[in-house]
Amino acid sequence: MGPDVPLLNDYKQEFFLKRFPQTVLGGPRFKLGYCAPPYVYVNQIILFLMPWVLGGVGTLLYQLGVMKDYYTAALSGGLMFVTALILQMTNLYAKQKTVTVERMQIQNTLTDEDEFEFSSCVGSETVKFIIPGKKYIINIVFHSLLAGVLCGLGTWYLLPNRITLLYSNIGGTVMIFVFGWVTICIGEYSLIINTATETATFQALDTYEITALMRPFYIFVFIAVDLAHRFAVNTPILEQTNQILHIIFLFLPFLWAMGILPPLDALFLWGMEQLLEFGLGGSPMSSNTKEIQRVYLFGVFRNPFYPKDVRTVTVFMEKQRRLMKVGVVRRILLTLVSPFAMIAFLSLDRSLQNLHSVSVCIGFTRIFRMVWQNTENALLDIVVVSVAQMLVFNPDLWWNKSLDTGIRLLLVGILRDRLLQFISKLQFAIAILLTSWTEKKQRRKSTATLITLNVIFFPILLTFVAISAILSSPLLPLFTLPVFLIGFPRPIRSWPGPVGATACVCSDTVYYQQMVPSLAVALESALAAGSLGLSLPGSHYLCRFQDRLMWILVLEKGFTYCGVNIKGLELQETSCHAAEAHRVDEIFEMAFEHQEQTKILSPNHHFGHILTPCTVLPVRLYSDARNVLSGIIDSHENLKHLKDDFIKVLVWMLVQYCYKKSKTWESMGNADNSKKGSFPEYQHGAAVERSRPLREEDSFSVDTIEDWTDDSDIFDLEPSGRMKDRKEPGQWGTTPKVHLSIPGSVDTQSQDIPQEMSPEDKLYRAVVLGLPAVDKGKQQEVLPRIAFSCSYSELLSIPEEWRTAPVPTSKVNEMRQRFPEEWYHFILSQLDFFHLKEKPSNLLEDLMKDKALKDLYVHGVLSCCFGLFGLDNTVPAPSHVFRAYTGGIPWSVGLDWLTGKPELFQLALKAFRYTFKLMVDKASLGPVENFKELVNCLEEYENDWYIGLVSDLEWQQAVLQEKPYLFSLGHDPNMGIYTGRVLTLQELLVQVGKLNDEAVRGQWANLSWELLYATNDDEERYSIQAHPVLLRNLTVQAADPPLGYPIYSSELLHLPLF
């Protein structure tokens, strides 16, 4: 995908050009995309100017001296309240008038594509188009009342005499009066007529119609300052503030349109977060000893103490032992020594010896809490304040005269936080500017122009960066181009909703579910030792291992604990994903694997990238190895021995199956019969279905024919009359009852069918005329009982229906010759029968001599071979082996019989998969020397391996249960090769790097604007294309759904750091 891919496709460009004017004006729709009568636009203009007209009435009466200012406000507000109610009632009436003929439509909050057919100036469609109305009755009343209050106070706020008193300038008064009323009209229209889609969108859905309150809220903030100035006496600062705010008031529409002012939900969460962090000294909620632990010092030079060439866990742990000692010292200093030392220092402050003021209480309450919640930053702030105190000798300076120590620490803390944000945002902005030219794939036709404009207006860019840092809001690069806007303030987690509530779950999710607990334990040690650098709430980290990418967001941090959210990104790499993942691998390899000959303090060659390597963590997870099986699966020699090995593995598996069954009988109390020499005959008590034609006299016996009379319903699902009440015959010795039906129809059987059924139901459920007749020549027959020479053989007897495959006698004799008798005897000799209370000493010998038992296994093995390979003795082809492994063999009589015995089919499939794995191991590691080695190999498969398919549910369960090994067979139809995949559970090193927090927040802010406002969900849009420096594609993936698509997202994980 080239760099000049459209930022917005043609359809979205047209859509955006319709939506943005609506946002600027607060809701009027003047650009529709289709032809509309003129009165639609005239009506909207009249409603837009209605608050100004009603406010103008009050203003005129006040200017003429007829009414006082507060009466004027009450009159205008009352008129607006009544008008708003009338408008909402009109909408309700229009909806009720057309509700019976209105076509149902699915409402999509992200589009404005509904077309209306206008009939008249005040027709129902016109009213519903201009005034969509409220979803809740309470909002009709509340918003109307709020509209009245807003109009009344707005009239008071913009009285010409009042403005003249503030500025003593007629020209200024006129400007503020005119454009001030435009601002109020925009707020009123958005509140009561039609709420505009805001560029500052935090929630994808506005369930409770909170968006309508956003613009009136900010208008009320400005009016509140004016009211405070009116009722306060001799407060110059309020007067100056009021003068400034009256001017800023005119620019509110611009701030709303640019999305700088946050929506109310984001504003509330952000405000609570700032209060908790700076006012109370706490940590945002989810909701330099340190530097020596990292691979790069300050992200620039490589740490000479950090281990070089880190590739294995053993070598890394041995080399890092010295750093771990430093980490222990750091942990003791931060958790035990420093807090008590700072509390002792603060307790001696002179401010605490005098009568406490509000500022002293606020300042010292905050710092005393911060000492424990954020020890490192508290220590830095105290050092800065102490140094400043020593350098400022003038006692009359405001720093010494007006501020106590607590307030100084508060100011220093805010300054420290905003300065770090400023530096991080500036790095992000410079990275976008430089890479838009240095990265050839990012170089668009407009790049040179944009860079030139940024250089010319660099002071304005710095101003934008500074303002966004002061507001603690993201710096928003529009479409991730070097066009920067100030995003609205939002919580550090950037997204609404509970942490980890949603993810795009798929089959690969289990790999992250398995590794996250171990990763969390490793993070505890790394965070406690300071290996991850300055980890504050809002810090982002990226972890890499093979094809897995873990995104870590720090949400909370306090005394000896840290709250994080871990996300897992997709494993199936797209071209964009692969390009960025390759750059991540390069950065980590440069830091951790190619340092044998580097100099001391060698520079970071990727300085300026948003990812800075920190450390590696030992994590217990699955390594993924994939091998091409060419030369193994297509080897004639290997395939020739496959059937013989399959017979051996199947015999072992059948014996193990029956042996485990015998343990189950013993636990149920059935083994008590062993003292008497007999065992349960459960398999002989059930009939085995075998096909044979019924005799004519059996089929048409008088005792077995149901009566069919003129009163019978041919569609009845059950017999009627007296025949329905007959007692069913038993399973033994009698011929089952035959129900005669109309020739050519299919007999249907049902249980618990209601007797009272409508004719339609009967017709729907029972009309099967014209279908082929069902063969009723099947009945249940009992196979002859097996005469075992050893009474204990029944413990190992396989179910008799497993030996009923329709195979010729010649094949049975052939299987007897091929049957591995020595292997069979060896398996029996390995059984201990410890679960039997009493057993003869020669039990195993008697079992080996029992020919009837052996014959059962011969038939069982033959049945499975018949199902999987058929009756011929040819060497199976690789394609047949692959189909047999996956369970996708083409239909045959043998397979049809085998799949009719699900338990046996699963055993046969499992045995074949074990056989295939054995073939691969023999080809790779050498032949099996003896029976003991083969048994050990099969027991290892059974206990430590899962051998199956990646798509199996059991594969995912095995991963979560942490099976040591997993094996799967695959096929690439494009290349025509077969592949083996092996997962091995072991402790391996996961590479961790710290991301530029502001780069992530800025890209997420653009993503939110682009998808929620511009609705630019094109999968090939520019802002989702690969960017090796900004990691744009990975950053988009890591966003919370529905905007991002991580395949795993954990709940809030609390990590103890003590």
Side-chain angles (χ1 to χ4, degrees):
M1 189 63 63
D4 286 310
V5 60
L7 303 178
L8 288 170
N9 59 39
D10 295 339
Y11 169 75
K12 292 299 181 182
Q13 287 179 17
E14 182 182 356
F15 172 79
F16 178 78
L17 292 177
K18 289 190 296 183
R19 170 169 281 189
F20 189 69
Q22 181 184 354
T23 301
V24 173
L25 296 176
R29 287 183 277 186
F30 295 132
K31 186 176 177 60
L32 302 181
Y34 56 91
C35 184
Y39 55 75
V40 173
Y41 305 101
V42 174
N43 287 350
Q44 292 184 85
I45 294 173
I46 292 173
L47 292 176
F48 180 82
L49 298 176
M50 183 65 67
W52 197 347
V53 173
L54 299 179
V57 172
T59 302
L60 181 61
L61 293 176
Y62 171 75
Q63 293 296 122
L64 295 176
V66 176
M67 300 178 68
K68 294 186 177 180
D69 54 358
Y70 45 87
Y71 289 130
T72 295
L75 174 63
S76 299
L79 292 174
M80 188 66 217
F81 172 64
V82 173
T83 303
L85 277 180
I86 293 173
L87 292 174
Q88 292 300 315
M89 293 303 119
T90 304
N91 172 265
L92 288 178
Y93 175 75
K95 287 182 177 180
Q96 293 175 357
K97 184 178 179 181
T98 59
V99 69
T100 56
V101 295
E102 189 176 62
R103 184 178 61 187
M104 293 181 62
Q105 296 180 352
I106 299 175
Q107 181 66 27
N108 186 346
T109 59
L110 298 183
T111 61
D112 297 332
E113 296 302 308
D114 295 333
E115 290 194 20
F116 288 77
E117 297 181 0
F118 305 104
S119 57
S120 65
C121 180
V122 291
S124 300
E125 292 296 329
T126 305
V127 171
K128 289 189 298 180
F129 172 78
I130 297 176
I131 311 172
K134 306 295 180 182
K135 291 188 290 186
Y136 306 104
I137 298 297
I138 189 173
N139 280 345
I140 292 178
V141 178
F142 175 64
H143 289 186
S144 299
L145 179 62
L146 200 64
V149 175
L150 179 62
C151 184
L153 293 178
T155 303
W156 206 4
Y157 185 73
L158 295 175
L159 288 175
N161 287 355
R162 177 67 178 171
I163 300 174
T164 303
L165 289 176
L166 283 175
Y167 299 100
S168 302
N169 187 292
I170 299 298
T173 300
V174 173
M175 291 286 293
I176 293 176
F177 179 79
V178 172
F179 289 101
W181 268 110
V182 171
T183 300
I184 292 179
C185 288
I186 290 175
E188 290 279 13
Y189 199 98
S190 181
L191 175 64
I192 203 64
I193 308 298
N194 182 25
T195 303
T197 303
E198 299 290 352
T199 51
T201 303
F202 189 57
Q203 300 272 4
L205 297 176
D206 184 21
T207 305
Y208 302 106
E209 299 176 313
I210 298 176
T211 305
L213 305 176
M214 172 186 165
R215 301 192 183 200
F217 170 81
Y218 288 105
I219 293 175
F220 280 128
V221 170
F222 283 76
I223 293 175
V225 176
D226 181 70
L227 292 177
H229 177 220
R230 283 176 183 268
F231 296 107
V233 181
N234 296 328
T235 50
I237 184 129
L238 269 179
E239 183 177 358
Q240 295 174 3
T241 303
N242 198 15
Q243 290 174 344
I244 295 172
L245 290 183
H246 266 77
I247 297 174
I248 297 177
F249 187 78
L250 310 183
F251 294 93
L252 277 180
F254 172 79
L255 299 178
W256 289 327
M258 292 295 102
I260 297 175
L261 298 178
L264 298 187
D265 47 0
L267 177 66
F268 175 77
L269 295 174
W270 173 82
M272 293 298 294
E273 193 172 85
Q274 298 297 306
L275 175 64
L276 181 62
E277 184 175 2
F278 298 106
L280 302 177
S283 166
M285 304 299 292
S286 55
S287 13
N288 283 313
T289 310
K290 180 193 309 301
E291 282 293 329
I292 201 173
Q293 301 291 328
R294 304 176 63 188
V295 63
Y296 286 115
L297 299 176
F298 308 105
V300 181
F301 299 106
R302 195 177 197 282
N303 181 4
F305 300 101
Y306 196 85
K308 297 180 174 62
D309 192 19
V310 179
R311 301 189 186 185
T312 63
V313 175
T314 306
V315 174
F316 170 73
M317 297 303 292
E318 183 176 349
K319 290 183 176 181
Q320 201 192 26
R321 192 169 300 162
R322 291 177 299 171
L323 292 182
M324 294 304 293
K325 295 178 181 178
V326 178
V328 171
V329 174
R330 172 190 176 277
R331 196 178 311 177
I332 294 174
L333 289 174
L334 282 181
T335 58
L336 296 177
V337 178
S338 297
F340 291 106
M342 285 187 286
I343 289 176
F345 174 79
L346 293 170
S347 301
L348 299 176
D349 191 87
R350 289 180 298 175
S351 303
L352 297 177
Q353 311 304 323
N354 304 324
L355 184 63
H356 294 177
S357 62
V358 175
S359 63
V360 171
C361 293
I362 292 175
F364 276 91
T365 299
R366 170 191 172 274
I367 191 60
F368 276 128
R369 186 182 182 190
M370 187 177 174
V371 161
W372 297 102
Q373 288 287 92
N374 198 341
T375 307
E376 297 154 290
N377 286 337
L379 187 61
L380 176 61
D381 294 349
I382 290 177
V383 169
V384 170
V385 169
S386 300
V387 171
Q389 192 71 19
M390 290 186 295
L391 296 178
V392 178
F393 298 104
N394 187 357
D396 296 328
L397 195 66
W398 66 273
W399 176 264
N400 289 327
K401 185 176 181 180
S402 304
L403 304 179
D404 57 74
T405 303
I407 299 301
R408 293 174 194 152
L409 289 169
L410 172 61
L411 294 177
V412 169
I414 295 175
L415 182 62
R416 167 187 46 77
D417 178 79
R418 296 319 194 241
L419 181 61
L420 291 177
Q421 286 195 38
F422 177 83
I423 294 172
S424 185
K425 292 176 195 293
L426 187 59
Q427 289 177 342
F428 173 47
I430 292 176
I432 290 182
L433 275 172
L434 295 180
T435 57
S436 64
W437 183 262
T438 58
E439 296 286 335
K440 292 184 178 180
K441 291 187 177 181
Q442 309 302 322
R443 196 180 299 170
R444 299 173 59 88
K445 295 178 181 178
S446 59
T447 298
T449 303
L450 292 176
I451 292 177
T452 303
L453 291 175
N454 275 277
V455 172
I456 295 174
F457 297 102
F458 190 72
I460 297 178
L461 173 61
L462 287 179
T463 303
F464 276 24
V465 174
I467 293 174
S468 64
I470 292 172
L471 296 176
S472 189
S473 61
L475 182 67
L476 191 156
L478 198 63
F479 299 106
T480 65
L481 292 172
V483 177
F484 299 100
L485 302 175
I486 301 172
F488 64 85
R490 64 198 79 191
I492 58 167
R493 64 178 185 270
S494 295
W495 308 111
V499 175
T502 55
C504 302
V505 178
C506 65
S507 58
D508 293 332
T509 302
V510 293
Y511 302 114
Y512 291 112
Q513 291 175 330
Q514 178 273 325
M515 70 175 295
V516 160
S518 179
L519 177 61
V521 174
L523 284 173
E524 294 174 7
S525 302
L527 287 168
S531 302
L532 301 184
L534 186 64
S535 57
L536 299 172
S539 297
H540 294 260
Y541 296 91
L542 187 66
C543 304
R544 177 70 166 168
F545 176 78
Q546 290 187 346
D547 58 352
R548 270 151 279 181
L549 281 163
M550 290 71 70
W551 193 285
I552 302 173
L553 170 60
V554 179
L555 294 168
E556 304 176 17
K557 193 172 183 186
F559 182 65
T560 68
Y561 87 93
C562 183
V564 301
N565 166 241
I566 301 178
K567 295 176 182 175
L569 306 188
E570 62 182 2
L571 304 186
Q572 301 296 328
E573 296 183 348
T574 61
S575 57
C576 296
H577 180 113
E580 295 184 357
H582 180 68
R583 179 63 63 89
V584 171
D585 292 336
E586 286 183 356
I587 293 173
F588 282 134
E589 288 174 6
M590 182 68 67
F592 299 121
E593 298 181 8
H594 300 297
Q595 297 295 335
E596 296 92 339
Q597 300 177 351
T598 54
K599 301 178 181 179
I600 297 178
L601 294 178
S602 59
N604 177 8
H605 296 284
H606 294 280
F607 178 74
H609 196 280
I610 73 165
L611 177 68
T612 303
C614 293
T615 186
V616 291
L617 303 177
V619 179
R620 183 174 173 83
L621 45 66
Y622 282 100
S623 62
D624 194 346
R626 309 184 189 216
N627 302 307
V628 177
L629 298 181
S630 300
I632 297 178
I633 192 174
D634 53 1
S635 169
H636 182 78
E637 190 68 22
N638 293 338
L639 296 175
K640 186 171 66 175
H641 295 93
L642 184 68
K643 282 188 178 180
D644 292 335
D645 287 342
F646 173 70
I647 293 174
K648 290 181 180 180
V649 175
L650 185 58
V651 170
W652 176 83
M653 194 160 289
L654 288 174
V655 171
Q656 294 297 318
Y657 170 83
C658 296
Y659 181 67
K660 292 177 182 178
K661 279 280 189 179
S662 69
K663 290 183 178 182
T664 305
W665 301 340
E666 176 69 19
S667 64
M668 296 171 60
N670 294 330
D672 291 340
N673 295 329
S674 63
K675 300 179 182 178
K676 303 177 183 179
S678 62
F679 290 90
E681 302 177 3
Y682 76 98
Q683 66 267 40
H684 305 296
V688 179
E689 187 178 295
R690 174 170 291 183
S691 299
R692 72 170 179 86
L694 284 175
R695 295 173 306 190
E696 186 176 352
E697 60 268 27
D698 292 338
S699 300
F700 295 96
S701 171
V702 176
D703 295 334
T704 60
I705 297 179
E706 286 286 358
D707 293 336
W708 188 81
T709 67
D710 293 338
D711 296 331
S712 301
D713 191 334
I714 64 172
F715 300 121
D716 278 343
L717 298 181
E718 292 186 351
S720 60
R722 60 183 178 87
M723 299 306 296
K724 188 170 66 174
D725 299 329
R726 287 184 179 178
K727 183 177 181 180
E728 293 293 332
Q731 293 182 346
W732 307 103
T734 61
T735 304
K737 181 166 41 180
V738 178
H739 300 277
L740 294 183
S741 58
I742 297 176
S745 70
V746 175
D747 215 15
T748 57
Q749 297 181 356
S750 174
Q751 295 180 354
D752 300 329
I753 300 297
Q755 296 184 11
E756 296 297 328
M757 297 180 62
S758 66
E760 293 81 0
D761 292 338
K762 294 179 181 179
L763 182 64
Y764 177 77
R765 299 184 60 175
V767 171
V768 285
L769 297 178
L771 295 179
V774 174
D775 180 12
K776 296 189 177 181
K778 289 187 178 182
Q779 77 173 43
Q780 293 179 334
E781 182 180 330
V782 180
L783 290 176
R785 182 185 177 106
I786 302 297
F788 294 115
S789 62
C790 175
S791 58
Y792 285 86
S793 294
E794 293 204 24
L795 286 172
L796 299 180
S797 175
I798 66 175
E800 291 185 6
E801 62 268 22
W802 288 9
R803 61 182 181 89
T804 60
V807 294
T809 306
S810 60
K811 290 297 179 181
V812 177
N813 296 330
E814 182 181 331
M815 178 56 71
R816 287 195 180 101
Q817 296 177 1
R818 294 181 58 187
F819 189 77
E821 189 168 350
E822 292 183 1
W823 167 249
Y824 168 72
H825 289 165
F826 180 80
I827 295 173
L828 294 179
S829 68
Q830 302 299 306
L831 304 178
D832 49 43
F833 289 100
F834 287 151
H835 57 283
L836 297 182
K837 296 181 180 178
E838 295 182 6
K839 60 182 178 181
S841 58
N842 58 345
L843 172 59
L844 296 179
E845 296 179 4
D846 292 343
L847 291 174
M848 294 179 194
K849 295 177 181 178
D850 194 331
K851 294 184 178 180
L853 180 63
K854 173 191 169 185
D855 195 55
L856 275 181
Y857 281 92
V858 170
H859 279 276
V861 171
L862 177 60
S863 300
C864 295
C865 290
F866 174 55
L868 294 180
F869 299 106
L871 294 177
D872 56 358
N873 294 324
T874 59
V875 176
S879 60
H880 184 88
V881 172
F882 175 74
R883 289 178 176 179
Y885 185 96
T886 59
I889 306 174
W891 184 91
S892 65
V893 175
L895 181 64
D896 185 62
W897 176 90
L898 184 58
T899 53
K901 313 292 183 292
E903 196 169 9
L904 179 61
F905 176 72
Q906 291 301 323
L907 282 175
L909 182 62
K910 185 178 180 181
F912 185 85
R913 290 174 173 178
Y914 281 18
T915 304
F916 182 83
K917 181 64 172 66
L918 180 65
M919 182 184 77
V920 173
D921 288 348
K922 287 166 63 176
S924 305
L925 306 176
V928 178
E929 299 294 338
N930 49 53
F931 288 161
K932 183 64 177 177
E933 185 178 347
L934 179 56
V935 168
N936 292 339
C937 183
L938 294 178
E939 288 179 348
E940 182 184 354
Y941 291 164
E942 184 72 18
N943 298 325
D944 298 337
W945 286 78
Y946 175 77
I947 301 173
L949 296 175
V950 176
S951 58
D952 292 342
L953 177 62
E954 292 79 2
W955 178 282
Q956 300 184 26
Q957 294 173 347
V959 171
L960 296 177
Q961 294 167 2
E962 296 196 337
K963 276 275 187 181
Y965 308 97
L966 292 90
F967 175 83
S968 175
L969 175 64
H971 178 241
D972 187 344
N974 297 324
M975 302 183 64
I977 59 174
Y978 297 93
T979 58
R981 182 181 182 185
V982 178
L983 299 186
T984 305
L985 183 65
Q986 53 189 321
E987 191 173 55
L988 297 167
L989 294 177
V990 173
Q991 299 158 330
V992 185
K994 192 174 190 300
L995 294 162
N996 184 316
D997 310 335
E998 295 303 325
V1000 175
R1001 293 184 70 200
Q1003 292 183 74
W1004 281 356
N1006 173 72
L1007 176 67
S1008 178
W1009 177 88
E1010 198 170 344
L1011 266 66
L1012 295 182
Y1013 181 77
T1015 68
N1016 187 24
D1017 55 355
D1018 188 348
E1019 294 182 356
E1020 299 298 333
R1021 63 186 184 273
Y1022 173 78
S1023 60
I1024 203 175
Q1025 300 299 314
H1027 196 302
V1029 176
L1030 298 181
L1031 303 182
R1032 187 166 54 195
N1033 186 269
L1034 298 181
T1035 304
V1036 169
Q1037 286 187 49
D1040 279 9
L1043 305 186
Y1045 44 98
I1047 66 173
Y1048 171 80
S1049 182
S1050 72
E1051 296 180 348
L1052 179 64
L1053 302 176
H1054 286 279
L1055 309 180
L1057 305 182
F1058 184 71

